[in-house]
């Protein structure tokens, strides 16, 4: 779960709650006073530093008089998936901006190998949203992107004592789901 910074700003303005009041709501061990104020400012700018916990989101929502699902983005990552980034991006681009049930159907019937991993990632994000009591029928895929992972290096023996490198690509898949207002 991550914070949707634009919604956090909007709801804070509507409620007339300042940064200091929100910082008092999220104070916890390891983050007090100026650190909490700095964290809330970062979260409002879209930076996730320090990493926002689910409990922080619940406390922020409570301070704003909202539910946690209103200011949350439900994100899931699958890291180290075997396959090139370029091939997996082709499949990830299919679901961006679609409703969750349509995206699941697309991943079920897509013949590409990457569809299995993207479907897993999507289902994990949906489960995270269900845990926060979000309405599953109004969920949609806000973001889906693929980053490069590490490269697995192997060597194939060739003639006259030579060796040719074989580079096996991996990728990191990220899918963000949010509730449409």
């Amino acid at each position: 779960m991550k914070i949707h910074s634009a919604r956090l700003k909007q709801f804070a303005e509507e409620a007339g709650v300042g940064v200091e009041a929100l910082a008092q709501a999220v104070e916890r061990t390891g983050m007090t006073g100026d650190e909490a104020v700095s964290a809330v400012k970062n979260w409002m700018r879209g930076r996730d530093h320090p990493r926002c916990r689910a409990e922080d989101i619940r406390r922020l929502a409570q301070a704003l008089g909202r539910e946690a699902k209103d200011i949350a983005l439900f994100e899931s990552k699958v890291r180290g998936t075997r396959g090139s980034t370029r091939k997996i991006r082709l499949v990830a681009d299919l679901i961006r901006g679609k409703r969750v049930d349509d995206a699941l159907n697309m991943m079920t019937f897509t013949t590409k190998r990457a569809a299995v991993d993207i479907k897993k990632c999507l289902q994990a994000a949906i489960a995270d949203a269900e845990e926060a009591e979000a309405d599953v029928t109004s969920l949609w895929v806000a973001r889906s992107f693929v980053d490069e992972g590490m490269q697995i290096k192997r060597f194939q023996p060739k003639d006259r004592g030579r060796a040719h490198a074989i580079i096996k690509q991996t990728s990191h898949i990220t899918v963000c789901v949010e509730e449409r207002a």
Side-chain angles (χ1 to χ4, degrees), residues 4 9 23 36 44 56 68 73 78 81 87 102 112 117 123 125 144 156:
H4 194 294
K9 261 192 241 178
M44 284 185 155
D56 295 335
L73 266 176
V78 175
T81 299
K87 291 177 183 177
D102 293 339
K112 298 278 189 183
D117 294 321
Q123 287 173 333
S144 66
Q156 179 73 32

Side-chain angles (χ1 to χ4, degrees), residues 9-177:
K9 261 192 241 178
Q10 176 190 353
F11 294 147
E13 287 175 7
E14 287 175 6
V17 179
V19 175
E20 288 78 20
L22 291 174
Q24 287 176 352
V26 297
E27 280 187 356
R28 56 178 155 88
T29 56
M31 188 169 68
T32 56
D34 291 337
E35 294 171 345
V37 171
S38 175
V40 170
K41 285 180 181 177
N42 280 341
W43 295 337
M44 284 185 155
R45 290 185 194 120
R47 297 186 199 127
D48 197 27
H49 180 75
R51 181 74 43 94
C52 187
R53 298 178 184 170
E55 184 60 32
D56 295 335
I57 294 175
R58 286 188 198 97
R59 287 181 180 179
L60 284 171
Q62 191 176 21
L64 294 170
R66 299 277 181 165
E67 294 182 36
K69 64 180 183 171
D70 294 336
I71 61 169
L73 266 176
F74 306 102
E75 182 180 84
S76 176
K77 292 182 181 182
V78 175
R79 297 177 59 83
T81 299
R82 284 295 307 275
S84 77
T85 307
R86 184 176 178 182
K87 291 177 183 177
I88 297 175
R89 272 191 193 129
L90 290 172
V91 183
D93 290 343
L94 290 174
I95 64 170
R96 193 176 303 120
K98 301 275 193 295
R99 286 191 8 227
V100 165
D101 53 346
D102 293 339
L104 281 172
N105 282 337
M106 287 175 125
M107 292 301 103
T108 302
F109 296 108
T110 301
T111 57
K112 298 278 189 183
R113 188 178 86 179
V116 175
D117 294 321
I118 292 176
K119 185 178 178 183
K120 274 186 203 174
C121 193
L122 182 60
Q123 287 173 333
I126 294 168
D128 194 16
E130 284 177 351
E131 192 176 303
E133 299 171 0
D135 182 19
V136 179
T137 58
S138 64
L139 289 178
W140 63 287
V141 180
R143 285 186 266 175
S144 66
F145 56 91
V146 181
D147 295 325
E148 288 183 16
M150 66 176 204
Q151 296 177 339
I152 303 170
K153 295 178 181 163
R154 298 288 182 261
F155 292 92
Q156 179 73 32
K158 292 294 179 178
D159 58 338
R160 293 188 280 167
R162 293 182 183 156
H164 286 194
I166 297 173
I167 312 282
K168 299 182 178 192
Q169 304 288 335
T170 63
S171 302
H172 304 315
I173 303 168
T174 306
V175 176
C176 291
V177 171

